[in-house]
Structures are given as C-alpha cells and as structure tokens.
Amino acid sequence: MTKDRLKKTIFFSFTGIILVIVAYNLWAYQGTLLAPLIKDFHTDSPHEPITSVLEKKGIVTPVSGLWLEVVKSKHALTVYKGKTPIKTYSIALGKDYLSDKEKAGDNKMPEGKFLITEKTVFSPPRRFLGSRLFLLNYPNSEDLIRGLRQGSLTASEFLAIEKAGKEGVTPPQNTPLGGDISIHGGNGPLMGNSWTNGSAALYSKDMEEIFDLVPVGSEVVIRK
C-alpha cells in the first residue's frame, strides 16, 4: 500500500468514526441537541390541542377526573374522562412490550392499575426522558403476589411496598421486582416503537400537552 493510499484510508476511517460518534450523540441526546428541530412533533397532524378536543366534547377546563389507558399492543396512550375517550397519543415501549413485567432489568412494562405518584419537570430536558415525567406506583400491592411467588422480597421490602400501596405513594424502587416505570417525553416514537426500559415514551410536545391536566393520584390502566 502506498503512503498516499494509506493516508486516505486513515483519513476516511477517522472521518467515519467521527460521523458515527456525532450521529450517536445526536440520537442519544435528542431531547436537548435536536430539540430546535423536532420541537413541533405531535401525534396528530394537523395538531389539535387536547383543550380544544375537551371543549368540542362539552367538557369545560379546568377539568378533573382524567385518567390514562396504555394499550401496549397498539402502542397507544388514551386520555379518558370517565368512560369518554378524549385523545389518543402514540407511544414507544420496551423491546418485550407485550410481556408483563416480572423483575428488575427485564425491560418489560407492567400490566394492571396504577397511580401517578410523582410528576417531574426537567429543565433542560433529559436524555430519553424529555421535559416531563409521570412516575407510577410500581411495584404496587398486586405485584407483591409475584414477589411472594418468587421468594425474592425480604420482609422489610414486602412491608414497605404494602405500606406504599395503602398510602398511594411511590413504593421502593430498588427491590428485585424493579421500578422506575413511568410515562415521559423524549420524542419516543421518533426513535421507533420499542426502545425504552419498560416505560411509555410520548412525543415531548404530547407529554407537555397532558402534563398539567393530569394530577398526581390519577389512575393509569395498562393493558396488553
């Protein structure tokens, strides 16, 4: 190989590595670096704010009693008022999204009825999470049955989860059953249907749209 050809090979190899690094960081930090480019992405096009949808249905804001339904097989999150569906949003889930969560690190989303126990605003937006997050009370009292079946919980972990379930607060998040199950932004659908660690990821603008309407204590039903 001549010196010129070697130089070209080194140059193009180095350039290729740099491009891969830049592309990865743009993807991985899409909540911040790409925000100016993707800030207007919504589920619906043309976009109709949920407040307008509520008004059309005769529901006056501020509105109470909203709850959320996640249907994993459809990659969809729907906001309800009572039995009335208000608006449906596209979501991304984990790789094994049709399976019920069993343990920490399995990247599955649990099924059942949960509560929003915490709401978080990130400024600046976080990588993969966007600017808004609802934390769910997983593991809840029903998940204790699985913990008992597995024999994986200590007595203190069992009692702590049981107590949190009765009080409607966030249970311990570091037991063998896992935790950190949430609904958040981060423009998830732009990155594919199945990439999260078991949570539901909306377009950031969609998450910001529902954030103030859905209070702590609201119910979240997750179905297959």
Side-chain angles (χ1 to χ4, degrees), residues 2-178:
T2 64
K3 288 185 178 180
D4 288 342
R5 190 171 180 181
L6 178 61
K7 288 180 180 179
K8 288 181 180 179
T9 300
I10 294 174
F11 172 78
F12 285 114
S13 297
F14 181 75
T15 302
I17 292 172
I18 295 297
L19 288 175
V20 169
I21 293 173
V22 171
Y24 171 77
N25 279 275
L26 286 175
W27 172 78
Y29 289 88
Q30 45 80 36
T32 51
L33 296 182
L34 296 186
L37 301 177
I38 60 180
K39 63 181 180 179
D40 293 326
F41 273 79
H42 296 82
T43 287
D44 50 342
S45 181
H47 175 59
E48 182 176 15
I50 191 172
T51 49
S52 298
V53 178
L54 286 166
E55 290 176 5
K56 287 183 178 179
K57 292 179 178 290
I59 301 173
V60 180
T61 55
V63 61
S64 61
L66 294 180
W67 61 278
L68 308 178
E69 179 188 52
V70 172
V71 180
K72 298 194 291 183
S73 60
K74 296 182 178 179
H75 282 87
L77 179 149
T78 301
V79 180
Y80 278 84
K81 167 65 175 175
K83 294 183 179 180
T84 304
I86 305 301
K87 187 173 179 180
T88 298
Y89 299 89
S90 299
I91 57 173
L93 298 169
K95 291 182 179 179
D96 194 6
Y97 63 89
L98 286 179
S99 298
D100 194 3
K101 188 168 183 63
E102 299 176 348
K103 60 184 179 180
D106 62 10
N107 295 333
K108 300 174 183 177
M109 190 174 202
E111 297 168 8
K113 293 183 179 180
F114 301 90
L115 298 176
I116 296 172
T117 52
E118 298 178 34
K119 294 173 60 173
T120 304
V121 175
F122 299 115
S123 182
R126 294 283 184 87
R127 176 168 59 165
F128 300 125
L129 299 177
S131 62
R132 304 287 190 277
L133 179 145
F134 295 147
L135 183 65
L136 307 187
N137 67 328
Y138 174 87
N140 62 19
S141 300
E142 294 179 1
D143 297 308
L144 285 177
I145 299 174
R146 179 167 58 255
L148 286 174
R149 209 167 47 230
Q150 295 172 343
S152 58
L153 295 176
T154 65
S156 60
E157 289 170 338
F158 178 92
L159 292 173
I161 294 173
E162 185 179 50
K163 183 174 184 291
K166 292 178 180 178
E167 296 176 354
V169 298
T170 304
Q173 298 290 282
N174 57 352
T175 74
L177 294 177

